[in-house]
Amino acid sequence: MEEAYARSVSEVIEFFGVDPTKGLTDLQVIQHGRSYGKNVLPQEKSNPFWKLVLKQFDDLLVKILIAAAFISFFLALANGETVLSAFIEPSVILMILAANAAVGVITETNAEKALEELRAYQADVATVLRNGCFSILPAADLVPGDIVEVSVGCKIPADMRMIEILSDHLRVDQAILTGESGSVEKELDGTTATNAVYQDKTNIVFSGTTVVAGRARAVVIGVGSNTAMGSIRDSMLLTEDEVTPLKKKLDEFGTFLAKIIAGICVLVWVVNIGHFSDPTHGGFLRGAIHYFKIAVALAVAAIPEGLPAVVTTCLALGTKRMARLNAIVRSLPSVETLGCTTVICSDKTGTLTTNMMSVSKICVLHSLNNGPVASEYVVSGTTYAPEGFIYDSLRAQLEIPSQFPCLLHLAMCSALCNESVIQYNPDKRIYEKIGESTEVALRLLAEKIGLPGFDTMPSALNMLSKHERASYCNRYWESQFKKVSVLEFSRDRKMMSVLCSRKQMDIMFSKGAPESILSRCTNILCNDDGSTVPLSAHIRAQLEAKYSSFAGKETLRCLALALKRMPMGQQSLSFDDENELTFIGLVGMLDPPRDEVRNAILSCMNAGIRVIVVTGDNKTTAESLCQKIGAFDHLGDFTGFSYTASEFEELPALQKSVALQRMTILSRVEPSHKRMLVEALQNQNEVVAMTGDGVNDAPALKKANIGIAMGSGTAVAKSASDMVLADDNFATVVAAVAEGRAIYNNTKQFIRYMISSNIGEVVCIFVAAMLGIPDTLVPVQLLWVNLVTDGLPATAIGFNKQDSDVMKSKPRKVNEAVVSGWLFFRYLVIGAYVGLATVAGFIWWFVYYDNGPKLPYTELMNFDSCSTRETNYPCSIFSDRHPSTVSMTVLVVVEMFNALNNLSENQSLLVIPPWSNLWLVASIIFTMILHILILYVQPLSALFSVTPLSYAEWTIVLYLSFPVILIDEILKFLSRNSGIRFTFRFRRADLLPKREIRDK
């Protein structure tokens, strides 16, 4: 039924054709079931496992590698190799790709759990009126029009319109849906609010929320997907995972690299068409196949197949460091996304605040001497732990608060006029509450005030076990007084009273709304001597002014407490007894901000990150909290910075765009508004992090670039998020952002290292093909270099230390290229040297090595015609393993030196020495040990077509390799001092194409 919240009870009943005294008939149940469906969230079809696997290979570079693997396999078979030997090289490529695909599949299957865990918030059973009889039925059997009875502790089984309140009032905890810090009182009257949000629909109880007080009947108006919980599910289904900024840039670079590879491969093959008919190939077709193999080898060399594994490993190392900061990463790519976050949308309740209501201020009458003087006390402690102190107006701590009469009687009233429970959970090692948050706050106040008559009271209480300490003072007062009768809270009285007896004395304690209690009081208790004096108009005005200050400017939730001496032996209470009360005091409570939030928000501002507070509470409460935090003082007035969701939606498009750029607070939101906010910010090219803990936050968490759930939050929120804060602390987000920035810097360094190394391999093969000399490296050797020698040092670069000023710079732009401009030119220079040095080692062995053949250079260029003419050397010399071993070793060693270049982008090795990253030094040593093993251990040397090297050969390897450090030192010097930046004649966007950020 549309807009049931705006209709009267009779209209809703008439719409469904139900008799509220008898419920639906069996025939109506069948008809409504056919019309509206079952009360379950439909099972969403998940992708088959084989589709998830295939999706991981939907990448251009991966497809090129797979094609290269199969082509090399069939070409090897065509050349007469056995199936086993022909499959060695392709199998290595396929194994790498399979490992990378496994990581992707695991990540995607985790994301689908959020929808499943949403079902946990559906009620199992419901008390339903049908055919004139109440019965307990499975909640899944409910249909619109059913009359359902709910009471304390019930989980609401469907969206329902209230039709009758069977107790004085009904209160529902709907924090999982709206994020409101307190329970909500429900009523029967329709609402006239325009664009009503969940908070405005006070006559509707929503599926998945919990009744905390009272009993009522309601008619079902929505089931399954047509409930508030169902709309959250639909919103999550419509949300596609955002591609991380680094993934976008790597995808773009991969597309660019694929085009370059294709061009070079075709060029190498076409340039050598004249050599296809050389006698050494045994025919034109075999020659074509030979040069096609070279082109395939070139593809293998150009593609950094180890890059996905190294990126994943580096991100995993980052997650370990973040776990030590209490940030548990669920999605590896999100680690990097943190580094370019520009806006953090933070849920208020439970994230910026403790979500633990506590008394923060007390007002009592101190004395009538020299005129009435009101005393104000401040109470510390922001959790459910019975820890905290009471301070006077001069901020001096009260050593024994219970020696003050008003505070003592406040403790009595708080403990006795109370139905809540505080208990210690040894498994979670935290104090937990059962009952209304306001009553729990009063329980804690009684614990902080302590007991009278013991000078050592504070230290004595601290000696108790945590289980005993949880409610020690409350249990003392409950043992001293016997509860005789209770007048429950009602909406018209706005108060609750309890009659207690103790030692021939009967006292009634009352608590309630200050305006209700004050109007019934005729006397007031003095705090200096415990005397009772008449409540004059002047004193009343002073207390009302203090109440207005607490509730208005400070936005505290206020309660007044009072007592009354009753006749001996009275056994029951009536409403008439709640008159001529003695006023004890006024307490103001709030959901307090976390102590460390202020510095965390200031740190975000220094780092160029904007914080937007998003809450279901009202605008005044949200603004007051931000003032209490103290990090938004520079804004002064919140005009233009604070909006309710309805106000924001009503703005014209241009004003809405301006408001988004200034917004600090968005209040009175429901789930759809949070998701809308994330989308709007993303449309302005912002990288958005969203924090939250409730079911209501799940769609926005999933939509955000990075969703951050609270460790104490719901399973749905955690499953929809990319990261979970184990300590629920907003400050941990800031530490995680710093770590994310450091991880990106390191990731960028090893990506540049691997790219420059691969450029060297491409140059090596291309130059050799252009010069017409034999193959310098075979494909399996290139794979060895790419995987082992590139992979280990590249991973170790991920251990580079975090810069000290990492949180003093603005977030990097999402479209910032990983390699571009002058930097790309630098790595072209380095790559060109790597390739030329590798070819030089090959030529040196043939032409200049004393123990080599010392061929003229022209003979080396005409090697393919050796068998057709007379020579003074055997043609088998071109099959010798020594020259390719020298080339491969030069390539390995020069890349080890190049790894040292990547300790810093611009700093010299004299400033940041190799031992600043011992992991890198260790990886270089380990890589060289592995390389020596394949040279000197027989089965491995045969597999990689290499042979042991002599001292002279190792000497030339070092001579050719070390200059790469000198060249990069010169380029770094130019970067630091001359500010030289290389500019291509064509746009950089043509070199590394960029995509416009769009909502996916």
mmCIF file of all heavy atoms in Angstrom, residues 482-487 497-500 508 570-574:
data_model
loop_
_atom_site.group_PDB
_atom_site.id
_atom_site.type_symbol
_atom_site.label_atom_id
_atom_site.label_comp_id
_atom_site.label_asym_id
_atom_site.label_seq_id
_atom_site.Cartn_x
_atom_site.Cartn_y
_atom_site.Cartn_z
ATOM 1 N N LYS A 482 12.961 -1.829 48.990
ATOM 2 C CA LYS A 482 12.091 -2.842 48.397
ATOM 3 C C LYS A 482 11.067 -2.148 47.499
ATOM 4 O O LYS A 482 10.364 -1.243 47.923
ATOM 5 C CB LYS A 482 11.356 -3.625 49.505
ATOM 6 C CG LYS A 482 10.386 -4.657 48.955
ATOM 7 C CD LYS A 482 9.565 -5.290 50.083
ATOM 8 C CE LYS A 482 8.522 -6.234 49.508
ATOM 9 N NZ LYS A 482 7.660 -6.787 50.572
ATOM 10 N N LYS A 483 11.008 -2.554 46.222
ATOM 11 C CA LYS A 483 10.034 -1.976 45.301
ATOM 12 C C LYS A 483 8.651 -2.525 45.616
ATOM 13 O O LYS A 483 8.446 -3.743 45.629
ATOM 14 C CB LYS A 483 10.410 -2.295 43.858
ATOM 15 C CG LYS A 483 11.603 -1.499 43.330
ATOM 16 C CD LYS A 483 11.787 -1.714 41.831
ATOM 17 C CE LYS A 483 12.998 -0.953 41.328
ATOM 18 N NZ LYS A 483 13.196 -1.124 39.879
ATOM 19 N N VAL A 484 7.696 -1.611 45.838
ATOM 20 C CA VAL A 484 6.337 -2.009 46.213
ATOM 21 C C VAL A 484 5.377 -1.892 45.034
ATOM 22 O O VAL A 484 4.563 -2.782 44.785
ATOM 23 C CB VAL A 484 5.829 -1.143 47.391
ATOM 24 C CG1 VAL A 484 4.400 -1.529 47.762
ATOM 25 C CG2 VAL A 484 6.759 -1.290 48.607
ATOM 26 N N SER A 485 5.476 -0.788 44.291
ATOM 27 C CA SER A 485 4.551 -0.556 43.188
ATOM 28 C C SER A 485 5.225 0.323 42.133
ATOM 29 O O SER A 485 6.120 1.118 42.455
ATOM 30 C CB SER A 485 3.276 0.125 43.696
ATOM 31 O OG SER A 485 2.391 0.386 42.645
ATOM 32 N N VAL A 486 4.789 0.172 40.870
ATOM 33 C CA VAL A 486 5.372 0.938 39.763
ATOM 34 C C VAL A 486 4.258 1.554 38.929
ATOM 35 O O VAL A 486 3.255 0.902 38.617
ATOM 36 C CB VAL A 486 6.254 0.038 38.860
ATOM 37 C CG1 VAL A 486 6.773 0.836 37.669
ATOM 38 C CG2 VAL A 486 7.399 -0.563 39.649
ATOM 39 N N LEU A 487 4.416 2.822 38.598
ATOM 40 C CA LEU A 487 3.558 3.481 37.605
ATOM 41 C C LEU A 487 4.398 3.633 36.330
ATOM 42 O O LEU A 487 5.357 4.421 36.293
ATOM 43 C CB LEU A 487 3.120 4.860 38.098
ATOM 44 C CG LEU A 487 1.892 4.934 39.001
ATOM 45 C CD1 LEU A 487 1.612 6.394 39.372
ATOM 46 C CD2 LEU A 487 0.668 4.327 38.331
ATOM 47 N N SER A 497 7.087 6.428 37.833
ATOM 48 C CA SER A 497 7.276 6.498 39.289
ATOM 49 C C SER A 497 7.356 5.096 39.872
ATOM 50 O O SER A 497 6.765 4.148 39.331
ATOM 51 C CB SER A 497 6.125 7.249 39.965
ATOM 52 O OG SER A 497 6.061 8.578 39.501
ATOM 53 N N VAL A 498 8.106 4.971 40.969
ATOM 54 C CA VAL A 498 8.211 3.692 41.653
ATOM 55 C C VAL A 498 8.125 3.937 43.169
ATOM 56 O O VAL A 498 8.734 4.870 43.693
ATOM 57 C CB VAL A 498 9.530 2.967 41.275
ATOM 58 C CG1 VAL A 498 10.742 3.812 41.594
ATOM 59 C CG2 VAL A 498 9.628 1.610 41.964
ATOM 60 N N LEU A 499 7.322 3.128 43.849
ATOM 61 C CA LEU A 499 7.148 3.237 45.310
ATOM 62 C C LEU A 499 8.078 2.243 45.977
ATOM 63 O O LEU A 499 8.057 1.050 45.664
ATOM 64 C CB LEU A 499 5.690 2.952 45.690
ATOM 65 C CG LEU A 499 5.375 2.922 47.186
ATOM 66 C CD1 LEU A 499 5.637 4.280 47.843
ATOM 67 C CD2 LEU A 499 3.923 2.490 47.413
ATOM 68 N N CYS A 500 8.919 2.743 46.889
ATOM 69 C CA CYS A 500 9.893 1.893 47.582
ATOM 70 C C CYS A 500 9.750 2.065 49.099
ATOM 71 O O CYS A 500 9.380 3.136 49.589
ATOM 72 C CB CYS A 500 11.316 2.273 47.173
ATOM 73 S SG CYS A 500 11.627 2.151 45.406
ATOM 74 N N MET A 508 8.446 7.604 47.178
ATOM 75 C CA MET A 508 8.167 7.449 45.761
ATOM 76 C C MET A 508 9.241 8.225 44.975
ATOM 77 O O MET A 508 9.452 9.420 45.217
ATOM 78 C CB MET A 508 6.781 7.990 45.398
ATOM 79 C CG MET A 508 6.434 7.832 43.916
ATOM 80 S SD MET A 508 4.816 8.552 43.481
ATOM 81 C CE MET A 508 5.182 10.291 43.568
ATOM 82 N N GLN A 570 1.581 2.116 52.442
ATOM 83 C CA GLN A 570 0.898 2.214 51.143
ATOM 84 C C GLN A 570 1.415 1.126 50.205
ATOM 85 O O GLN A 570 2.619 0.909 50.084
ATOM 86 C CB GLN A 570 1.117 3.608 50.529
ATOM 87 C CG GLN A 570 0.335 3.813 49.240
ATOM 88 C CD GLN A 570 0.274 5.276 48.819
ATOM 89 O OE1 GLN A 570 0.353 6.158 49.678
ATOM 90 N NE2 GLN A 570 0.126 5.536 47.542
ATOM 91 N N GLN A 571 0.526 0.432 49.514
ATOM 92 C CA GLN A 571 0.906 -0.716 48.689
ATOM 93 C C GLN A 571 0.766 -0.472 47.187
ATOM 94 O O GLN A 571 1.174 -1.298 46.384
ATOM 95 C CB GLN A 571 0.042 -1.930 49.072
ATOM 96 C CG GLN A 571 0.261 -2.416 50.503
ATOM 97 C CD GLN A 571 1.695 -2.882 50.724
ATOM 98 O OE1 GLN A 571 2.215 -3.677 49.956
ATOM 99 N NE2 GLN A 571 2.329 -2.361 51.780
ATOM 100 N N SER A 572 0.169 0.656 46.810
ATOM 101 C CA SER A 572 -0.008 0.913 45.377
ATOM 102 C C SER A 572 0.084 2.404 45.105
ATOM 103 O O SER A 572 -0.009 3.227 46.019
ATOM 104 C CB SER A 572 -1.356 0.371 44.904
ATOM 105 O OG SER A 572 -2.411 1.039 45.564
ATOM 106 N N LEU A 573 0.266 2.743 43.835
ATOM 107 C CA LEU A 573 0.365 4.133 43.415
ATOM 108 C C LEU A 573 -0.766 4.471 42.455
ATOM 109 O O LEU A 573 -1.217 3.613 41.679
ATOM 110 C CB LEU A 573 1.711 4.385 42.702
ATOM 111 C CG LEU A 573 2.969 4.406 43.561
ATOM 112 C CD1 LEU A 573 4.199 4.580 42.680
ATOM 113 C CD2 LEU A 573 2.910 5.522 44.609
ATOM 114 N N SER A 574 -1.196 5.725 42.513
ATOM 115 C CA SER A 574 -2.165 6.227 41.545
ATOM 116 C C SER A 574 -1.585 7.489 40.920
ATOM 117 O O SER A 574 -0.623 8.078 41.432
ATOM 118 C CB SER A 574 -3.502 6.525 42.223
ATOM 119 O OG SER A 574 -3.348 7.624 43.111
#
